[in-house]
Amino acid sequence: MLSFITYKSAPEQLEILADEKGLEELISYLQHLKDAKDHMHLIIDSEIDRYPLPPNRPEVLYAKQIRIEYADSKQWEVNPSL
């Protein structure tokens, strides 16, 4: 199981919830990105599961799509001329 959730009150916060199988899948996805130097989309009910939340938690939101992109380390360098 692999799930990504966030909160209405803290949308900049992302929590990753995973069991052993979910962690293995996430590692596999990341290894593929590293090897392919590409990007991928993780979609709810396909690669992402719905973590069981109590119905009285309307402030919790599921991430329905996660995009993970490989970025070369040079892309992270700050350009002082900008």
Side-chain angles (χ1 to χ4, degrees), residues 27-61:
I27 290 167
S28 174
Y29 298 147
L30 295 174
Q31 187 63 50
H32 171 75
L33 286 174
K34 180 181 174 188
D35 295 343
K37 295 180 174 46
D38 199 357
H39 74 280
M40 70 184 320
H41 298 266
L42 306 179
I43 309 295
I44 199 153
D45 296 331
S46 183
E47 296 86 7
I48 302 173
D49 303 294
R50 295 175 190 269
Y51 186 76
L53 297 168
N56 62 345
R57 301 286 310 270
E59 75 279 5
V60 180
L61 303 171

